[in-house]
Amino acid sequence: MSTLLTAAGPVATGPAAAVVGRHREVELLVAALDCGAHVLLEGPPGTGKTTLLRSVAAAGSVPFVFVEGNAELTPGRLIGHFDPAQVLSEGYSPDVFVDGPLVQAMRAGSLLYVEEVNRVPEETLNVLITVMSEGELHVPRLGRVPAAAGFRLVAAMNPFDAVGTARISAAVYDRCCRITMGYQSAQDEADIVVLRGPAVPDPWRAQVVDLVRRTREHPDVRIGSSVRGAIDLVRLAVSLSGLRGQEPTSWLVGLDAALVALSGRVRLQESCGRAPEEIVRELYVAVFGAEPTDDDPADESEPTGDGGASGGA
């Protein structure tokens, strides 16, 4: 795993160029993995936790096994099982055991990446705790499975207040190094939209990013949109503009794209009696200005309002 140390430089310019504004987190992850620690990446959705790990692993040519964490991830699915048909003919032989992702990563000395770890059942977490503590696993009828050199667990989780999440026990935190990942700066998010979205005028893109960032600060919004909302908004606006024969930056095209891209991504306060579409429209007008009238000489394709990328910085 020491080859990961050489990845700290290339991560920003080589195979991991997709990681924008995460130089510090890249260094911390590389150092933690290189020293043999297991890592917990914690942050809101859309902050690049999976992208960060994939980029670091690619830069260091380190294989990893991906596991989607959910309520149906039982210990059996994580560890593996004996093939029933072959057991009938050959018995409980190690040759008929089908490795699950955990055993696969342990045998190969790979990274095991568990996404959404705070959605995983407690009995499954207990299996991971044992492996992190002892570096081995005891499977009935199979025996001891030691973890090969290089095996690391990297788990990602959203904040506890996200829907469907549970508190992670102190036993998990005690066995991991924790790296927190918040939202990036307005400029970094604009750069991500450039990287992932179609070409649009820079000032309008900056206003789109500003709009998305404002969803995280509105008093009626409990959870706002990540930068994925900005990427989808730009993509939708470009597609709609082709269908309508208008510019992507026109007021109505942008509004419809914003309503579709953002209304499902914002989670309102329980006491709020408003609809998500109403919040998105309010913020859209705040950034892009009121809807132009027929006698308004202003060109619709020109960004208006008090937007810019500074609103949520």
Side-chain angles (χ1 to χ4, degrees), residues 301-312:
S301 64
E302 291 297 322
T304 59
D306 64 346
S310 61

Side-chain angles (χ1 to χ4, degrees), residues 155-182:
M157 61 178 283
N158 295 329
F160 167 63
D161 60 351
V163 176
T165 60
R167 291 191 185 277
I168 292 295
S169 68
V172 175
Y173 280 116
D174 189 52
R175 289 161 176 81
C176 292
C177 291
R178 175 173 173 263
I179 299 175
T180 58
M181 298 178 62

Side-chain angles (χ1 to χ4, degrees), residues 65-274:
V65 179
F66 177 85
V67 177
E68 181 180 352
N70 53 54
E72 298 179 356
L73 183 62
T74 62
R77 291 185 176 183
L78 183 65
I79 296 171
H81 64 277
F82 285 95
D83 185 276
Q86 289 185 294
V87 166
L88 290 175
S89 59
E90 302 179 32
Y92 288 97
S93 167
D95 295 334
V96 303
F97 186 81
V98 181
D99 291 352
L102 173 58
V103 173
Q104 179 185 345
M106 292 176 66
R107 293 189 197 274
S110 305
L111 299 179
L112 177 69
Y113 178 57
V114 182
E115 194 175 47
E116 308 281 3
V117 71
N118 53 342
R119 300 180 191 271
V120 173
E122 185 177 357
E123 60 268 24
T124 306
L125 286 178
N126 290 337
V127 173
L128 295 174
I129 291 173
T130 299
V131 173
M132 286 189 288
S133 299
E134 308 299 332
E136 63 183 28
L137 184 66
H138 290 270
V139 182
R141 295 190 176 92
L142 179 65
R144 175 178 174 269
V145 180
F151 170 77
R152 306 283 189 276
L153 171 68
V154 180
M157 61 178 283
N158 295 329
F160 167 63
D161 60 351
V163 176
T165 60
R167 291 191 185 277
I168 292 295
S169 68
V172 175
Y173 280 116
D174 189 52
R175 289 161 176 81
C176 292
C177 291
R178 175 173 173 263
I179 299 175
T180 58
M181 298 178 62
Y183 291 110
Q184 290 142 298
S185 68
Q187 183 58 57
D188 286 341
E189 291 192 343
D191 292 341
I192 293 172
V193 177
V194 171
L195 189 65
R196 304 289 180 87
V200 292
D202 291 342
W204 184 79
R205 184 192 301 110
Q207 287 183 296
V208 168
V209 171
D210 181 27
L211 167 62
V212 170
R213 292 174 66 85
R214 290 188 186 212
T215 65
R216 306 170 200 158
E217 302 170 351
H218 194 283
D220 290 334
V221 176
R222 182 169 60 90
I223 300 177
S225 173
S226 71
V227 70
R228 292 185 185 127
I231 296 169
D232 280 352
L233 197 162
V234 171
R235 289 173 175 170
L236 279 165
V238 171
S239 295
L240 275 176
S241 67
L243 294 173
R244 297 179 178 178
Q246 299 174 333
E247 291 296 321
T249 56
S250 65
W251 197 91
L252 283 174
V253 167
L255 174 62
D256 285 341
L259 291 172
V260 174
L262 303 181
S263 62
R265 285 184 161 98
V266 297
R267 298 289 182 268
L268 304 184
Q269 302 286 357
E270 297 294 335
S271 59
C272 176
R274 307 173 68 185

Side-chain angles (χ1 to χ4, degrees), residues 260-303:
V260 174
L262 303 181
S263 62
R265 285 184 161 98
V266 297
R267 298 289 182 268
L268 304 184
Q269 302 286 357
E270 297 294 335
S271 59
C272 176
R274 307 173 68 185
E277 290 80 4
E278 185 180 348
I279 302 294
V280 172
R281 177 183 283 270
E282 174 191 321
L283 292 175
Y284 185 86
V285 171
V287 174
F288 291 94
E291 180 179 2
T293 58
D294 292 338
D295 56 354
D296 189 347
D299 183 1
E300 274 192 52
S301 64
E302 291 297 322

